[in-house]
Amino acid sequence: MPLKPRRIEVVLETLLESIALAEEIGVSVAAAAGFDEDDQYKIGLAVHEGVMNAFQYGNQQQRERKIHVLFELFSEKMVIHVADQGTGFRLEDVPDPRTDENMLGDSGRGVLLMRTFMDEFDVQVVQGGGGEVIMAKRYRAQNNSQAM
Amino acid sequence: MPLKPRRIEVVLETLLESIALAEEIGVSVAAAAGFDEDDQYKIGLAVHEGVMNAFQYGNQQQRERKIHVLFELFSEKMVIHVADQGTGFRLEDVPDPRTDENMLGDSGRGVLLMRTFMDEFDVQVVQGGGGEVIMAKRYRAQNNSQAM
Amino acid sequence: MSLKATSREIGGVTVIDLDGRITLGDGGALLRDLIREKVNSGHKMLLLNLAGVNYIDSTGLGELVSGYRLVKAQNGELKLLNLTKRISELLQITKLYPVFEIHNDEVKAVASFSQ
Amino acid sequence: MSLKATSREIGGVTVIDLDGRITLGDGGALLRDLIREKVNSGHKMLLLNLAGVNYIDSTGLGELVSGYRLVKAQNGELKLLNLTKRISELLQITKLYPVFEIHNDEVKAVASFSQ
Ligand SMILES: Nc1ncnc2c1ncn2[C@@H]1O[C@H](COP(=O)(O)OP(=O)(O)O)[C@@H](O)[C@H]1O
Ligand SMILES: Nc1ncnc2c1ncn2[C@@H]1O[C@H](COP(=O)(O)OP(=O)(O)O)[C@@H](O)[C@H]1O
């Protein structure tokens, strides 16, 4: 059923506070979409990590650059886009933090958490430049995807 | 101190669910701005009423029309704009629901609640048409307006 | 998030226990239908227990008023029980507080109905 | 929302009770400073009690790892106590679970330090 997704767009400034705020909005949208508490947490953390990277790497903490978060609620899954005004990055260039050499490094775990907590994860360069991560979480069988 | 406000923009479709969602986002933003629980509730209800009117009267329940909610956090107050793609309305035309004739009517209490719960309230027609309510809540003296 | 409603009969009075939010959509519609159904089936002494209701929007206030009018038109009575602080405040702001008969004690509220 | 940290000394071991979120900003920085301060003042046997921590982001995980490295480099030990389900899951996903010595019993955890 090619249902038109329900869309919620959020535009945030590049501020530290935008990370927790986007996370909370993500949790609200996930709850409204019928995800259970555990999935709400996972979706919230994925949004947190995506927006944190947009803040740090993409927009390099330049406040006037925008962070766009788009939630699309399809009948079978929720899709989240986090786009920044940086130069983007390629997934192949992100080292796996679980290897022996990287294990004790301070960083590199954000992408891993997003990939693990969401069912789909991809990185793109948006039109006109800017990095974008696109991730999706499917409704579990017992969930009521009609809730919202 | 003419501080640049922190801005959070939210764009929603004209759907029933957008009302509660905007309200929840409003509560999150208010919490992040340092408002106490009572003020968070009042701000949330004001957003709820504003978006409900945009949904019903402004956008006349036409899904593809957008509802724009903008939160601006100034150093002394939080300003909220709720804009729709309708034809707007004038505050003078809204009857007072507290008069004897209107008392037992089903409607007309949304604007009254927004006015009462917020410190400032105004209605405008946005550029290119569309109704917009603009409301503000000041931080109380004991609030920590630096929280966000 | 939405509204739950259950009703009980006590000495000719129908007590409707409400729990949740009364807003545009589910909650408001449920309350409206329930009041109508009660009145249509001859139950005209209604006591709405709002102890579990902490949130009503302007639409929900409208439902309370139209319920009140409907019951009154049928020579019945609709009263409110156990207002939370927030609901009490909303009724005061909208000047609906004096319109309704409001109780804090269920036994006394039930006894107050003229039967 | 943010992190609260208090520390106690038990038989030569510094127990740091953490409560809140360990994320980029306040929480992460607080933890980093606290560990550094403890190590600099000669307290190298650290037990982080995470019972009150239900949320750590990738930056917070990074702080745990760099705390661990710092303490180890000074010939000390940093161990974890009382992981919540979510934190345990995060350590497993990132393969940090085997890196840390993890305890559920404070008395046994304190006793486990080589002194
Ligand atoms: N939005 C982004 N723009 C540019 N580079 C990014 C972005 N997000 C992630 N990256 C790159 O991917 C790497 C891995 O990110 P991540 O897994 O979140 O770990 P960490 O942030 O701890 O380094 C980052 O170090 C950065 O080089
Ligand atoms: N966004 C809007 N666009 C057009 N008209 C509006 C809008 N918001 C409010 N109004 C007008 O103002 C009136 C009063 O609104 P309100 O106080 O919310 O009460 P109610 O919605 O119960 O009628 C509405 O009946 C409508 O005519």
Side-chain angles (χ1 to χ4, degrees):
Chain A
M1 219 178 13
L3 259 187
K4 218 170 43 159
R6 290 168 180 172
R7 291 167 57 93
I8 299 112
E9 276 173 68
V10 181
V11 186
L12 298 155
E13 292 176 294
T14 302
L15 291 167
L16 187 61
E17 297 84 0
S18 296
I19 301 168
L21 202 57
E23 175 194 327
E24 281 192 54
I25 294 172
V27 169
S28 296
V29 175
F35 285 101
D36 66 19
E37 218 172 299
D38 186 52
D39 279 345
Q40 290 171 30
Y41 153 72
K42 288 177 176 168
I43 290 166
L45 188 58
V47 171
H48 179 108
E49 295 290 336
V51 171
M52 187 160 66
N53 283 348
F55 168 81
Q56 289 184 300
Y57 306 116
N59 291 351
Q60 306 194 292
Q61 304 202 21
Q62 292 176 46
R63 175 176 173 172
E64 60 291 347
R65 292 191 180 183
K66 297 275 179 274
I67 302 169
H68 280 255
V69 185
L70 170 63
F71 301 94
E72 294 178 304
L73 301 176
F74 289 87
S75 55
E76 75 285 2
K77 65 183 173 185
M78 171 174 180
V79 178
I80 304 172
H81 304 248
V82 179
D84 60 49
Q85 299 185 293
T87 52
F89 68 109
R90 298 186 321 160
L91 219 38
E92 308 90 271
D93 299 338
V94 176
D96 187 337
R98 294 166 300 181
T99 59
D100 285 346
E101 331 68 280
N102 298 332
M103 184 87 92
L104 289 182
D106 294 356
S107 67
R109 298 183 182 90
V111 167
L112 173 63
L113 294 182
M114 288 186 264
R115 291 184 101 136
T116 308
F117 281 163
M118 301 295 282
D119 296 314
E120 299 170 26
F121 182 83
D122 199 9
V123 170
Q124 292 194 354
V125 172
V126 291
Q127 280 192 317
E132 178 171 4
V133 303
I134 303 166
M135 40 199 179
K137 186 100 182 156
R138 284 189 286 277
Y139 303 113
R140 296 198 205 162
Q142 73 272 28
N143 275 359
N144 174 14
S145 63
Q146 309 302 326
M148 177 162 175
Chain B
M1 217 179 14
L3 259 187
K4 219 171 45 159
R6 292 171 177 168
R7 291 167 56 93
I8 298 113
E9 276 173 68
V10 181
V11 186
L12 298 155
E13 294 176 290
T14 302
L15 292 167
L16 186 61
E17 298 83 359
S18 296
I19 301 168
L21 203 55
E23 175 195 328
E24 281 191 55
I25 294 172
V27 170
S28 296
V29 175
F35 285 102
D36 67 18
E37 217 171 301
D38 187 51
D39 279 346
Q40 290 171 32
Y41 152 72
K42 288 175 176 167
I43 291 166
L45 188 58
V47 171
H48 179 108
E49 295 291 336
V51 172
M52 187 160 67
N53 283 349
F55 167 83
Q56 288 185 300
Y57 305 115
N59 291 350
Q60 306 193 292
Q61 303 201 23
Q62 293 174 46
R63 175 176 173 172
E64 61 291 346
R65 292 191 179 183
K66 297 276 179 273
I67 301 168
H68 280 254
V69 185
L70 170 64
F71 301 95
E72 294 177 306
L73 302 176
F74 290 87
S75 56
E76 75 285 2
K77 65 183 174 184
M78 173 175 178
V79 178
I80 304 172
H81 305 248
V82 178
D84 60 49
Q85 300 185 291
T87 51
F89 68 109
R90 296 184 324 158
L91 220 38
E92 308 91 90
D93 299 338
V94 176
D96 187 337
R98 294 166 301 183
T99 58
D100 285 346
E101 333 66 284
N102 298 331
M103 184 87 95
L104 288 182
D106 295 354
S107 67
R109 298 182 182 91
V111 167
L112 172 64
L113 293 182
M114 288 186 266
R115 291 185 102 133
T116 308
F117 281 163
M118 301 295 282
D119 296 315
E120 299 171 26
F121 181 85
D122 199 11
V123 170
Q124 292 194 354
V125 172
V126 291
Q127 280 193 313
E132 177 171 4
V133 304
I134 302 166
M135 40 199 180
K137 186 101 184 153
R138 283 188 286 278
Y139 303 113
R140 296 196 205 162
Q142 73 273 28
N143 274 359
N144 174 13
S145 64
Q146 307 303 325
M148 177 162 175
Chain C
M1 278 291 281
S2 58
L3 188 69
K4 266 180 218 147
T6 45
S7 70
R8 308 174 271 139
E9 295 293 321
I10 305 183
V13 174
T14 303
V15 182
I16 301 181
D17 297 303
L18 297 166
D19 192 29
R21 287 161 58 105
I22 309 179
T23 58
L24 184 67
D26 289 351
L30 178 67
L31 179 60
R32 187 189 330 139
D33 293 348
L34 193 61
I35 293 176
R36 204 162 293 172
E37 186 203 294
K38 290 294 170 198
V39 170
N40 288 345
S41 62
H43 298 85
K44 295 172 187 170
M45 301 298 170
L46 300 184
L47 181 61
L48 300 189
N49 178 7
L50 295 171
V53 176
N54 211 10
Y55 196 98
I56 298 189
D57 69 5
S58 63
T59 317
L61 293 170
E63 296 298 349
L64 289 183
V65 173
S66 69
Y68 174 87
R69 282 203 322 269
L70 178 74
V71 172
K72 193 143 196 163
Q74 304 283 323
N75 294 315
E77 290 185 83
L78 183 145
K79 302 181 181 184
L80 305 182
L81 177 66
N82 295 331
L83 299 191
T84 58
K85 208 169 137 279
R86 287 185 180 169
I87 304 313
S88 168
E89 188 182 15
L90 289 174
L91 292 180
Q92 278 160 24
I93 291 168
T94 54
K95 303 266 188 257
L96 288 171
Y97 203 90
V99 170
F100 291 100
E101 190 176 314
I102 294 166
H103 290 269
N104 291 314
D105 181 310
E106 185 173 313
V107 174
K108 287 186 191 154
V110 168
S112 77
F113 281 84
S114 49
Q115 300 183 50
Chain D
M1 277 292 281
S2 57
L3 189 69
K4 266 179 218 148
T6 47
S7 69
R8 307 174 271 139
E9 297 291 322
I10 305 183
V13 174
T14 303
V15 182
I16 302 181
D17 298 303
L18 297 167
D19 193 30
R21 287 160 58 105
I22 310 178
T23 58
L24 184 69
D26 290 348
L30 178 67
L31 179 61
R32 188 190 327 138
D33 293 347
L34 193 62
I35 292 175
R36 206 164 288 173
E37 185 203 291
K38 289 295 170 197
V39 169
N40 289 344
S41 63
H43 299 83
K44 296 171 187 169
M45 303 295 171
L46 301 184
L47 181 62
L48 300 188
N49 178 8
L50 296 170
V53 176
N54 211 10
Y55 196 97
I56 299 190
D57 70 3
S58 63
T59 315
L61 294 170
E63 295 298 349
L64 289 183
V65 173
S66 70
Y68 174 85
R69 282 203 322 269
L70 177 74
V71 172
K72 192 140 198 168
Q74 304 283 323
N75 293 313
E77 291 185 84
L78 183 146
K79 302 180 182 183
L80 306 182
L81 177 66
N82 294 331
L83 301 190
T84 58
K85 206 167 139 281
R86 286 185 180 168
I87 305 312
S88 169
E89 187 181 16
L90 289 174
L91 293 180
Q92 279 161 22
I93 291 168
T94 54
K95 302 270 188 253
L96 287 171
Y97 203 90
V99 170
F100 291 100
E101 191 177 312
I102 295 165
H103 290 268
N104 291 314
D105 180 310
E106 185 173 311
V107 174
K108 288 186 191 155
V110 168
S112 77
F113 280 83
S114 49
Q115 299 184 47

